Amino acid sequence: MSVFTAVAPETLARWLGRYAIGRLVDLQGISAGVQNSNFFVTTTLGRYVLTLFEAIPRAELPFYLHLMAHLARHGLPVPAPIADRDNEYLGTLNQRPAALVMRLSGHSEMAPSERHCERVGAMLAGLHLAGLSYGRKQDNPRGAAWRTVTAARVRPFLAADEQALLDAELAFQAAANYAQLPCGVIHADLFRDNVLWDGDYIGGVIDFYFAGQDALLFDVAVTFNDWCATPSGELDPQRAEAFLCAYHAERPFTDAERADWAAMLRAAALRFWLSRAEDFHLPKAGEMVHVKSPAEYRDILRLRIAATHPLPL
Amino acid sequence: MSVFTAVAPETLARWLGRYAIGRLVDLQGISAGVQNSNFFVTTTLGRYVLTLFEAIPRAELPFYLHLMAHLARHGLPVPAPIADRDNEYLGTLNQRPAALVMRLSGHSEMAPSERHCERVGAMLAGLHLAGLSYGRKQDNPRGAAWRTVTAARVRPFLAADEQALLDAELAFQAAANYAQLPCGVIHADLFRDNVLWDGDYIGGVIDFYFAGQDALLFDVAVTFNDWCATPSGELDPQRAEAFLCAYHAERPFTDAERADWAAMLRAAALRFWLSRAEDFHLPKAGEMVHVKSPAEYRDILRLRIAATHPLPL
């Protein structure tokens, strides 16, 4: 259960007086998420999600909240943050930074079809295009600097063959030159559990708290590694094709992106191998339940070194 | 069919390139609305409503679009306008001012229960509270000035007893002093067909193109006359109670509002008698289909003069 800070209904009912969304009807903790305390909040006027931020520094939160507001304003199904009567998105509840966002409808699809992958490809391109006019900048919090620090922290816990793989991949990525790639705001965590399906449509793209400025191709690679792979991590050529063509139709890939695609798939795999290894070997208090095995992304890294799938022309 | 300006799919597909909402999948004219041309637009990324404005001057449109954006930002289920890649809500299509808004789900409830009236009362208060922090101002386009002009235009078409009723009510309203009433942004047309129900919840409040600055109590009266009356226009005491108490719980009525309630119900009835009489006797080209009989609101005016229902303490 990922509720680190309890919220009493009476406390929340009083706090909601700051908003124009009516009176509290129901409050339920949400057992997903590894960083924050999340709750479903039902009022007389609607359904919302309340988040108490446990780890992200308060100063970094406006970037995320205004990004979600910006993307929602551009017509994309992301959880729009709710402004209070003073027009502020970010408040304080139980000594934590806190925000309300719209609750979106739909369910995750953990066994996506080609059709799902096509829609996700188009949506990712839509997010990237809408993000181009977003004014705030914040670096990808799991970018190259984080990678170096984290690799050093987890390396002692790895087996010898894993250490060799890590050393080789760090050297390979350090030698890569991604300077020609188009940059922008990336979601950076568009896994299957962060997309809510409402029938054939994407009713919600959630969890923007890893977003930041980086190569758009990195986001394509992160999403691709999750959506277009078999349970053992190998590529599914049909889903890969559907995803990449749908993205390409909205935002055509550049020559530089085509050249760097294989390397970027490896960078994306490395990023999740490292974060999962860190969560596994160096867990923080209260973050135990949702830890995923680091082996999955170690294996995906090995597979992406061995073979890839070309970008569309 | 209230589509005054046709839109070809190829034209719209090209126009959508200004947005980040994917590619056109489907386009359908909407047969509701008396002022604008409306279309359901489905793209690869979502479902939207396209409006081509036929009558409202372009300079007045930002007030409405930013109002909808403001209320959506405050967590209320109104059709949020979609910003294009230049961050603009208002564009031009087929020589008309044009905007895309989010399509909301739900259906109108033409035979509302006490429960529905309770929710509508709370929602109207929520709209009023959220509207307090809206910065733009525009007068209620169907306010006192419009009333005087319109009464003079339609009077020649009325029967003698109707003329007497109109003259007496105009004199009564001219003598009323509403200066003490709290003012703000009002929807001014929150009829049953402008609320979409999603199960027990209000999934959408639509059609903000009569909104403006006026006494909040006028909005309460307009809404009350539609939601809390029997088909013959008489008050339903249970629904009246449910509606008014729910509103009062969110935004308590002031003493001045209690004092002016009976007069305001008459002002609200007069406004719709006049607009329907105008639409009936002086129709504009292309506005024939949805004209409603003016008799309904003439009778409601007579009934509200004869009897009313008190505001909650």
Side-chain angles (χ1 to χ4, degrees):
Chain A
M1 177 73 163
S2 298
V3 172
F4 309 109
T5 302
V7 174
E10 315 80 75
T11 309
L12 180 61
R14 218 175 312 120
W15 193 73
L16 289 180
R18 305 157 41 86
Y19 293 84
I21 58 172
R23 270 137 213 281
L24 183 63
V25 173
D26 191 46
L27 169 66
Q28 299 285 344
I30 303 176
S31 64
V34 293
Q35 283 207 118
N36 309 311
S37 298
N38 293 305
F39 304 84
F40 289 133
V41 172
T42 305
T43 73
T44 45
L45 301 191
R47 283 162 284 198
Y48 309 90
V49 173
L50 168 70
T51 299
L52 272 59
F53 298 97
E54 306 285 349
I56 306 170
R58 189 176 188 104
E60 294 178 13
L61 292 171
F63 171 84
Y64 301 115
L65 295 171
H66 286 277
L67 173 60
M68 291 188 281
H70 177 89
L71 296 172
R73 245 166 60 78
H74 283 75
L76 299 175
V78 312
I82 308 303
D84 68 17
R85 295 199 207 171
D86 293 329
N87 276 323
E88 294 290 337
Y89 292 138
L90 189 59
T92 302
L93 180 59
N94 289 357
Q95 290 84 55
R96 300 288 188 286
L100 278 168
V101 301
M102 296 302 288
R103 180 172 173 184
L104 300 169
S105 55
H107 296 279
S108 297
E109 173 56 62
M110 300 310 282
S113 65
E114 280 176 60
R115 180 87 176 134
H116 291 113
C117 291
E118 184 183 334
R119 291 223 181 258
V120 168
M123 181 61 73
L124 184 64
L127 293 167
H128 289 171
L129 292 172
L132 293 177
S133 54
Y134 183 55
R136 293 172 193 244
K137 299 258 183 291
Q138 206 158 279
D139 282 342
N140 169 10
R142 297 286 182 276
W146 170 89
R147 183 172 69 206
T148 306
V149 171
T150 307
R153 293 184 69 219
V154 303
R155 193 178 184 285
F157 297 95
L158 303 181
D161 63 324
E162 293 177 325
Q163 291 186 340
L165 174 66
L166 178 61
D167 294 344
E169 190 60 26
L170 286 170
F172 175 81
Q173 293 296 336
N177 178 359
Y178 296 131
Q180 301 310 310
L181 298 179
C183 282
V185 194
I186 65 170
H187 181 285
D189 195 31
L190 195 62
F191 278 52
R192 287 163 290 169
D193 49 359
N194 284 333
V195 173
L196 305 178
W197 295 91
D198 177 12
D200 254 5
Y201 273 84
I202 296 179
V205 174
I206 62 174
D207 202 354
F208 279 81
Y209 300 109
F210 287 111
Q213 189 80 9
D214 209 332
L216 300 177
L217 194 67
F218 181 74
D219 216 8
V220 178
V222 166
T223 311
F224 181 91
N225 275 337
D226 185 63
W227 287 84
C228 306
T230 65
S232 61
E234 288 176 28
L235 288 178
D236 177 310
Q238 280 77 36
R239 281 185 278 144
E241 183 84 7
F243 171 82
L244 292 172
C245 287
Y247 183 96
H248 182 67
E250 303 296 325
R251 191 190 72 80
F253 292 110
T254 67
D255 287 343
E257 289 180 312
R258 267 185 282 276
D260 285 337
W261 177 232
M264 196 57 92
L265 283 173
R266 294 165 59 168
L270 175 60
R271 175 256 180 265
F272 285 94
W273 180 29
L274 286 174
S275 66
R276 292 190 180 178
E278 182 183 38
D279 292 342
F280 188 82
H281 297 296
L282 298 158
K284 297 194 204 87
E287 289 193 358
M288 288 302 296
V289 173
H290 289 281
V291 167
K292 295 167 183 165
S293 162
E296 181 189 1
Y297 267 84
R298 175 202 63 206
D299 294 347
I300 289 179
L301 174 58
R302 284 185 171 136
L303 287 163
R304 296 299 174 272
I305 293 170
T308 185
H309 182 281
L311 287 185
L313 281 179
Chain B
M1 178 71 164
S2 297
V3 171
F4 308 109
T5 302
V7 174
E10 315 79 75
T11 310
L12 181 61
R14 218 174 313 116
W15 194 73
L16 289 180
R18 306 157 39 88
Y19 293 84
I21 58 172
R23 268 136 214 282
L24 183 63
V25 173
D26 192 46
L27 169 66
Q28 299 285 342
I30 303 176
S31 64
V34 292
Q35 285 207 114
N36 309 312
S37 298
N38 293 305
F39 304 84
F40 289 133
V41 172
T42 305
T43 73
T44 45
L45 300 191
R47 283 162 285 197
Y48 310 90
V49 173
L50 168 70
T51 298
L52 271 60
F53 298 97
E54 306 285 347
I56 306 170
R58 189 176 189 103
E60 293 178 14
L61 291 171
F63 172 83
Y64 301 115
L65 295 171
H66 285 277
L67 173 61
M68 292 188 280
H70 177 89
L71 296 172
R73 248 167 57 80
H74 283 74
L76 299 175
V78 312
I82 308 303
D84 68 16
R85 295 198 206 174
D86 293 328
N87 275 323
E88 294 290 337
Y89 292 139
L90 189 59
T92 301
L93 180 59
N94 288 357
Q95 290 83 54
R96 300 287 187 288
L100 279 169
V101 302
M102 295 301 289
R103 179 172 174 184
L104 301 169
S105 55
H107 297 279
S108 297
E109 173 56 62
M110 299 311 281
S113 65
E114 283 176 58
R115 181 85 176 133
H116 291 113
C117 292
E118 184 183 334
R119 291 220 180 259
V120 168
M123 182 61 73
L124 184 63
L127 292 169
H128 289 171
L129 292 171
L132 293 177
S133 54
Y134 183 55
R136 293 171 193 245
K137 301 258 182 287
Q138 207 156 280
D139 283 342
N140 171 9
R142 297 285 181 276
W146 170 88
R147 183 171 68 206
T148 306
V149 171
T150 307
R153 294 184 69 220
V154 303
R155 195 178 183 285
F157 297 95
L158 303 182
D161 64 324
E162 292 178 326
Q163 291 186 341
L165 175 66
L166 178 61
D167 294 344
E169 190 59 24
L170 287 169
F172 175 83
Q173 293 296 337
N177 178 359
Y178 296 131
Q180 302 308 310
L181 298 179
C183 282
V185 193
I186 66 170
H187 181 285
D189 195 31
L190 196 62
F191 279 51
R192 287 163 290 169
D193 49 358
N194 285 333
V195 174
L196 305 178
W197 295 91
D198 177 13
D200 255 3
Y201 274 84
I202 296 178
V205 174
I206 62 173
D207 203 353
F208 278 82
Y209 300 110
F210 288 111
Q213 190 79 8
D214 208 332
L216 301 178
L217 194 67
F218 180 73
D219 215 9
V220 179
V222 166
T223 312
F224 181 91
N225 275 338
D226 185 65
W227 286 84
C228 305
T230 65
S232 61
E234 289 177 28
L235 287 178
D236 177 309
Q238 279 76 37
R239 280 186 278 143
E241 182 84 5
F243 171 81
L244 293 171
C245 287
Y247 183 95
H248 183 66
E250 302 297 325
R251 190 189 72 82
F253 292 111
T254 67
D255 288 342
E257 289 179 313
R258 268 184 283 275
D260 286 337
W261 178 231
M264 196 56 94
L265 282 173
R266 294 164 58 169
L270 176 61
R271 175 256 179 268
F272 285 94
W273 181 27
L274 286 174
S275 67
R276 290 189 183 180
E278 183 182 36
D279 292 342
F280 189 82
H281 297 296
L282 298 157
K284 297 192 205 86
E287 288 193 0
M288 288 301 296
V289 173
H290 289 281
V291 168
K292 295 168 183 166
S293 162
E296 181 189 2
Y297 267 84
R298 175 201 64 204
D299 293 346
I300 289 179
L301 174 58
R302 286 187 170 134
L303 288 163
R304 297 297 174 274
I305 292 170
T308 185
H309 182 281
L311 287 185
L313 281 177

